Amino acid sequence: MASLDRDFFVASFRRMAVAAEVNRDEWTRLDGQIGDGDHGINMSIGFREVVKQLDALPDDTDIAGTFKLVGMTLLRRVGGASGPLYGSFFMKAGAEVAGQSEVSVDDLPRMLRAGVASIQARGKAELGDKTMLDSYLPGLDVLEAADLSDAVAAFSSFVERMQQGSDDTIPLQAKKGRAMRLGPRSIGHRDPGSQSAWQLMECFLEGLKGIQS
Ligand code: ADP
Ligand code: MG
């Protein structure tokens, strides 16, 4: 079972920052349809600051400390609902492996489950409310049932299920967040957070491909 060190996670967070730049306009366009049109802008501002923090990351910061730094930065810098949600996601995910200098691929589902549980605790949304949870929750179910001895295959099915979950938000009426105010007019549009969520998790998949090859 491949072990993952701090560098793996730092590289993954840097990849997320690239994803936030590349997809900024698309996430903003989606949020323009059912929200206030700032999701991509929010995420790009947050991840630019994350990169600055990673550039100055002290040598003695461990994996949990790195997750905490990323989470706190997003919480502090990202305006909007998604900042505190993604912020606590990363903080809680990292806290699962506090004190470990390396983690196993086997630890990842537990870390991500803890992160998602904190999104649920903070945002009080449920499956079907047309939020990022509609990609995270079904995706995690798939990941938890997957055979992690092939980590790339397991994470591919995780990300694909998240992507499907995001597609499945299109016919839903929003029950949480800003889009809720639109009522039935939110139907027919993709939830922006469900899209950014799978595209961020895809960055872990890319990292796993790198260590497998
Ligand atoms: P804001 O809505 O404050 O402008 P963003 O545009 O950055 O914040 O993020 C919007 C996204 O946040 C939504 O697409 C949705 O996925 C997610 N979101 C909003 N409220 C909740 C909630 N209570 N639980 C889970 N996710 C939520
Ligand atoms: Mg918004």
Side-chain angles (χ1 to χ4, degrees):
M1 192 62 60
S3 64
L4 311 171
D5 59 10
R6 192 189 82 165
D7 287 350
F8 169 87
F9 291 104
V10 169
S12 298
F13 290 129
R14 287 188 184 280
R15 230 175 261 115
M16 289 181 198
V18 173
E21 288 308 317
V22 170
N23 296 295
R24 183 181 62 170
D25 291 351
E26 175 61 9
W27 295 347
T28 291
R29 186 187 70 78
L30 292 173
D31 196 33
Q33 292 177 332
I34 57 168
D36 56 352
D38 63 357
H39 186 55
I41 295 163
N42 290 341
M43 296 292 283
S44 133
I45 290 170
F47 271 100
R48 280 182 196 179
E49 182 62 24
V50 164
V51 168
K52 278 190 202 159
Q53 299 285 338
L54 294 177
D55 286 344
L57 192 66
D59 286 341
D60 61 354
T61 307
D62 63 5
I63 293 173
T66 306
F67 271 80
K68 188 173 178 185
L69 187 69
V70 170
M72 302 249 298
T73 302
L74 294 177
L75 201 128
R76 219 177 47 239
R77 283 303 176 103
V78 179
S82 59
L85 296 172
Y86 277 126
S88 55
F89 172 80
F90 287 115
M91 286 195 288
K92 292 290 184 196
E96 279 294 304
V97 293
Q100 293 177 226
S101 59
E102 286 194 340
V103 306
S104 151
V105 167
D106 277 337
D107 293 318
L108 290 176
R110 183 166 51 88
M111 294 169 72
L112 298 176
R113 178 60 77 179
V116 168
S118 80
I119 295 178
Q120 292 176 287
R122 219 176 230 269
K124 307 271 188 287
E126 290 172 14
L127 188 68
D129 284 351
K130 200 178 179 102
T131 72
M132 56 176 72
L133 289 175
D134 291 329
S135 50
Y136 270 128
L137 289 171
L140 261 180
D141 288 344
V142 165
L143 183 64
E144 285 170 347
D147 174 8
L148 287 165
S149 63
D150 186 343
V152 170
F155 264 72
S156 295
S157 57
F158 168 51
V159 171
E160 270 167 35
R161 186 64 189 86
M162 286 189 74
Q163 191 169 359
Q164 178 64 48
S166 176
D167 291 349
D168 291 343
T169 66
I170 295 172
L172 296 174
Q173 178 172 334
K175 300 277 166 53
K176 278 282 182 297
R178 222 175 263 279
M180 183 177 66
R181 301 177 199 168
L182 286 185
R185 282 183 294 132
S186 63
I187 294 172
H189 303 284
R190 179 187 304 277
D191 174 65
S194 71
Q195 177 82 2
S196 59
W198 78 257
Q199 291 185 299
L200 294 184
M201 294 303 99
E202 194 177 34
C203 297
F204 288 130
L205 169 61
E206 291 305 316
L208 292 168
K209 284 180 186 168
I211 55 172
Q212 182 167 285
S213 56

mmCIF file of all heavy atoms in Angstrom, residues 8 10 13 56 61 67 73 77 84 89 104 113 115 120 125 128 133 136 141 165 181 195 208:
data_model
loop_
_atom_site.group_PDB
_atom_site.id
_atom_site.type_symbol
_atom_site.label_atom_id
_atom_site.label_comp_id
_atom_site.label_asym_id
_atom_site.label_seq_id
_atom_site.Cartn_x
_atom_site.Cartn_y
_atom_site.Cartn_z
ATOM 1 N N PHE A 8 3.422 14.839 -1.024
ATOM 2 C CA PHE A 8 2.283 14.413 -1.838
ATOM 3 C C PHE A 8 1.118 15.393 -1.667
ATOM 4 O O PHE A 8 0.487 15.813 -2.653
ATOM 5 C CB PHE A 8 1.837 12.994 -1.449
ATOM 6 C CG PHE A 8 0.515 12.583 -2.061
ATOM 7 C CD1 PHE A 8 0.474 12.014 -3.323
ATOM 8 C CD2 PHE A 8 -0.677 12.787 -1.377
ATOM 9 C CE1 PHE A 8 -0.738 11.662 -3.897
ATOM 10 C CE2 PHE A 8 -1.898 12.434 -1.952
ATOM 11 C CZ PHE A 8 -1.921 11.864 -3.213
ATOM 12 N N VAL A 10 1.210 18.518 -0.367
ATOM 13 C CA VAL A 10 1.543 19.868 -0.825
ATOM 14 C C VAL A 10 1.353 19.948 -2.339
ATOM 15 O O VAL A 10 0.749 20.904 -2.862
ATOM 16 C CB VAL A 10 2.989 20.246 -0.423
ATOM 17 C CG1 VAL A 10 3.428 21.526 -1.122
ATOM 18 C CG2 VAL A 10 3.088 20.403 1.096
ATOM 19 N N PHE A 13 -2.313 20.128 -3.140
ATOM 20 C CA PHE A 13 -2.901 21.454 -2.901
ATOM 21 C C PHE A 13 -2.461 22.452 -3.974
ATOM 22 O O PHE A 13 -3.242 23.314 -4.382
ATOM 23 C CB PHE A 13 -2.526 21.957 -1.503
ATOM 24 C CG PHE A 13 -3.206 21.195 -0.384
ATOM 25 C CD1 PHE A 13 -2.474 20.674 0.688
ATOM 26 C CD2 PHE A 13 -4.583 20.987 -0.400
ATOM 27 C CE1 PHE A 13 -3.096 19.967 1.705
ATOM 28 C CE2 PHE A 13 -5.216 20.273 0.623
ATOM 29 C CZ PHE A 13 -4.465 19.770 1.669
ATOM 30 N N ALA A 56 5.918 29.225 1.775
ATOM 31 C CA ALA A 56 6.639 29.554 3.010
ATOM 32 C C ALA A 56 6.412 28.508 4.098
ATOM 33 O O ALA A 56 6.590 28.788 5.290
ATOM 34 C CB ALA A 56 6.170 30.932 3.503
ATOM 35 N N THR A 61 6.297 21.537 9.666
ATOM 36 C CA THR A 61 4.840 21.390 9.557
ATOM 37 C C THR A 61 4.520 20.012 8.997
ATOM 38 O O THR A 61 4.984 19.660 7.909
ATOM 39 C CB THR A 61 4.245 22.477 8.641
ATOM 40 O OG1 THR A 61 4.679 23.748 9.109
ATOM 41 C CG2 THR A 61 2.722 22.432 8.643
ATOM 42 N N PHE A 67 -2.691 20.520 6.245
ATOM 43 C CA PHE A 67 -4.147 20.583 6.018
ATOM 44 C C PHE A 67 -4.770 21.720 6.827
ATOM 45 O O PHE A 67 -5.666 22.422 6.351
ATOM 46 C CB PHE A 67 -4.807 19.255 6.426
ATOM 47 C CG PHE A 67 -4.879 18.226 5.332
ATOM 48 C CD1 PHE A 67 -3.770 17.454 5.011
ATOM 49 C CD2 PHE A 67 -6.050 18.012 4.623
ATOM 50 C CE1 PHE A 67 -3.835 16.494 4.011
ATOM 51 C CE2 PHE A 67 -6.119 17.049 3.616
ATOM 52 C CZ PHE A 67 -5.009 16.286 3.307
ATOM 53 N N THR A 73 -6.648 29.025 5.851
ATOM 54 C CA THR A 73 -6.478 30.050 4.820
ATOM 55 C C THR A 73 -7.767 30.197 4.006
ATOM 56 O O THR A 73 -8.218 31.323 3.745
ATOM 57 C CB THR A 73 -5.298 29.675 3.889
ATOM 58 O OG1 THR A 73 -4.123 29.534 4.691
ATOM 59 C CG2 THR A 73 -5.080 30.732 2.834
ATOM 60 N N ARG A 77 -9.903 33.519 3.911
ATOM 61 C CA ARG A 77 -9.796 34.313 2.696
ATOM 62 C C ARG A 77 -10.960 34.191 1.727
ATOM 63 O O ARG A 77 -11.200 35.083 0.912
ATOM 64 C CB ARG A 77 -8.507 33.946 1.952
ATOM 65 C CG ARG A 77 -7.259 34.551 2.547
ATOM 66 C CD ARG A 77 -7.413 36.060 2.577
ATOM 67 N NE ARG A 77 -6.266 36.664 3.225
ATOM 68 C CZ ARG A 77 -5.276 37.274 2.577
ATOM 69 N NH1 ARG A 77 -5.310 37.366 1.276
ATOM 70 N NH2 ARG A 77 -4.276 37.795 3.245
ATOM 71 N N PRO A 84 -15.845 28.786 4.556
ATOM 72 C CA PRO A 84 -15.906 28.022 5.804
ATOM 73 C C PRO A 84 -16.147 26.534 5.580
ATOM 74 O O PRO A 84 -15.634 25.709 6.337
ATOM 75 C CB PRO A 84 -17.098 28.649 6.540
ATOM 76 C CG PRO A 84 -17.267 29.998 5.941
ATOM 77 C CD PRO A 84 -16.753 29.935 4.542
ATOM 78 N N PHE A 89 -13.608 21.410 5.914
ATOM 79 C CA PHE A 89 -13.354 20.128 5.243
ATOM 80 C C PHE A 89 -11.879 19.749 5.360
ATOM 81 O O PHE A 89 -11.536 18.649 5.819
ATOM 82 C CB PHE A 89 -13.759 20.224 3.757
ATOM 83 C CG PHE A 89 -13.378 19.033 2.926
ATOM 84 C CD1 PHE A 89 -14.144 17.879 2.941
ATOM 85 C CD2 PHE A 89 -12.236 19.065 2.135
ATOM 86 C CE1 PHE A 89 -13.780 16.768 2.182
ATOM 87 C CE2 PHE A 89 -11.864 17.958 1.375
ATOM 88 C CZ PHE A 89 -12.639 16.808 1.401
ATOM 89 N N SER A 104 -1.231 6.273 4.819
ATOM 90 C CA SER A 104 -1.424 5.259 3.794
ATOM 91 C C SER A 104 -2.623 5.666 2.926
ATOM 92 O O SER A 104 -3.490 6.431 3.374
ATOM 93 C CB SER A 104 -1.685 3.928 4.497
ATOM 94 O OG SER A 104 -2.491 3.109 3.713
ATOM 95 N N ARG A 113 -13.992 11.384 4.706
ATOM 96 C CA ARG A 113 -15.293 11.236 5.385
ATOM 97 C C ARG A 113 -15.400 12.224 6.544
ATOM 98 O O ARG A 113 -16.445 12.845 6.752
ATOM 99 C CB ARG A 113 -15.471 9.794 5.873
ATOM 100 C CG ARG A 113 -16.744 9.528 6.633
ATOM 101 C CD ARG A 113 -18.008 9.798 5.841
ATOM 102 N NE ARG A 113 -18.319 8.757 4.876
ATOM 103 C CZ ARG A 113 -19.400 8.773 4.084
ATOM 104 N NH1 ARG A 113 -20.273 9.768 4.155
ATOM 105 N NH2 ARG A 113 -19.603 7.809 3.205
ATOM 106 N N GLY A 115 -13.878 15.052 6.768
ATOM 107 C CA GLY A 115 -14.033 16.378 6.164
ATOM 108 C C GLY A 115 -15.469 16.639 5.745
ATOM 109 O O GLY A 115 -16.040 17.704 6.029
ATOM 110 N N GLN A 120 -21.260 18.781 6.594
ATOM 111 C CA GLN A 120 -22.651 18.511 6.987
ATOM 112 C C GLN A 120 -22.979 19.188 8.319
ATOM 113 O O GLN A 120 -24.052 19.763 8.493
ATOM 114 C CB GLN A 120 -22.886 17.005 7.116
ATOM 115 C CG GLN A 120 -22.833 16.273 5.785
ATOM 116 C CD GLN A 120 -22.970 14.757 5.957
ATOM 117 O OE1 GLN A 120 -22.045 14.103 6.412
ATOM 118 N NE2 GLN A 120 -24.115 14.222 5.594
ATOM 119 N N ALA A 125 -26.809 20.785 5.445
ATOM 120 C CA ALA A 125 -27.488 20.358 4.214
ATOM 121 C C ALA A 125 -27.538 18.837 4.152
ATOM 122 O O ALA A 125 -26.747 18.154 4.801
ATOM 123 C CB ALA A 125 -26.764 20.910 2.993
ATOM 124 N N GLY A 128 -29.382 15.837 -1.825
ATOM 125 C CA GLY A 128 -30.533 16.280 -2.606
ATOM 126 C C GLY A 128 -30.888 17.748 -2.411
ATOM 127 O O GLY A 128 -31.810 18.255 -3.045
ATOM 128 N N LEU A 133 -22.477 18.671 -1.296
ATOM 129 C CA LEU A 133 -22.675 17.342 -0.691
ATOM 130 C C LEU A 133 -23.251 16.351 -1.693
ATOM 131 O O LEU A 133 -23.062 15.143 -1.554
ATOM 132 C CB LEU A 133 -23.599 17.438 0.521
ATOM 133 C CG LEU A 133 -23.007 18.111 1.761
ATOM 134 C CD1 LEU A 133 -24.073 18.255 2.833
ATOM 135 C CD2 LEU A 133 -21.811 17.327 2.298
ATOM 136 N N TYR A 136 -20.079 14.994 -3.077
ATOM 137 C CA TYR A 136 -19.245 14.332 -2.065
ATOM 138 C C TYR A 136 -19.861 13.031 -1.521
ATOM 139 O O TYR A 136 -19.164 12.021 -1.400
ATOM 140 C CB TYR A 136 -19.031 15.245 -0.860
ATOM 141 C CG TYR A 136 -17.819 16.149 -0.934
ATOM 142 C CD1 TYR A 136 -17.946 17.521 -0.724
ATOM 143 C CD2 TYR A 136 -16.544 15.630 -1.163
ATOM 144 C CE1 TYR A 136 -16.830 18.360 -0.763
ATOM 145 C CE2 TYR A 136 -15.435 16.467 -1.201
ATOM 146 C CZ TYR A 136 -15.584 17.829 -0.997
ATOM 147 O OH TYR A 136 -14.488 18.648 -1.029
ATOM 148 N N ASP A 141 -19.265 7.178 -0.761
ATOM 149 C CA ASP A 141 -19.812 5.817 -0.640
ATOM 150 C C ASP A 141 -19.077 4.876 -1.591
ATOM 151 O O ASP A 141 -18.742 3.746 -1.224
ATOM 152 C CB ASP A 141 -21.317 5.801 -0.958
ATOM 153 C CG ASP A 141 -22.146 6.443 0.155
ATOM 154 O OD1 ASP A 141 -21.607 6.620 1.271
ATOM 155 O OD2 ASP A 141 -23.314 6.782 -0.099
ATOM 156 N N GLY A 165 -22.700 12.898 -9.511
ATOM 157 C CA GLY A 165 -23.494 13.565 -8.481
ATOM 158 C C GLY A 165 -23.704 15.038 -8.801
ATOM 159 O O GLY A 165 -24.777 15.601 -8.552
ATOM 160 N N ARG A 181 -32.949 30.803 -2.487
ATOM 161 C CA ARG A 181 -33.847 31.965 -2.659
ATOM 162 C C ARG A 181 -34.550 31.964 -4.006
ATOM 163 O O ARG A 181 -35.582 32.606 -4.169
ATOM 164 C CB ARG A 181 -33.053 33.273 -2.521
ATOM 165 C CG ARG A 181 -32.367 33.391 -1.186
ATOM 166 C CD ARG A 181 -31.544 34.669 -1.122
ATOM 167 N NE ARG A 181 -30.546 34.578 -0.070
ATOM 168 C CZ ARG A 181 -29.549 35.422 0.094
ATOM 169 N NH1 ARG A 181 -29.402 36.450 -0.744
ATOM 170 N NH2 ARG A 181 -28.688 35.279 1.079
ATOM 171 N N GLN A 195 -19.551 21.113 -8.543
ATOM 172 C CA GLN A 195 -18.566 21.057 -9.632
ATOM 173 C C GLN A 195 -17.154 21.294 -9.084
ATOM 174 O O GLN A 195 -16.228 20.528 -9.356
ATOM 175 C CB GLN A 195 -18.913 22.124 -10.680
ATOM 176 C CG GLN A 195 -17.930 22.241 -11.835
ATOM 177 C CD GLN A 195 -18.163 21.207 -12.911
ATOM 178 O OE1 GLN A 195 -19.096 20.393 -12.838
ATOM 179 N NE2 GLN A 195 -17.307 21.202 -13.914
ATOM 180 N N LEU A 208 -2.045 10.582 -7.165
ATOM 181 C CA LEU A 208 -1.914 9.120 -7.036
ATOM 182 C C LEU A 208 -1.403 8.507 -8.335
ATOM 183 O O LEU A 208 -0.598 7.576 -8.321
ATOM 184 C CB LEU A 208 -3.264 8.500 -6.648
ATOM 185 C CG LEU A 208 -3.748 8.847 -5.230
ATOM 186 C CD1 LEU A 208 -5.205 8.446 -5.039
ATOM 187 C CD2 LEU A 208 -2.865 8.181 -4.177
#
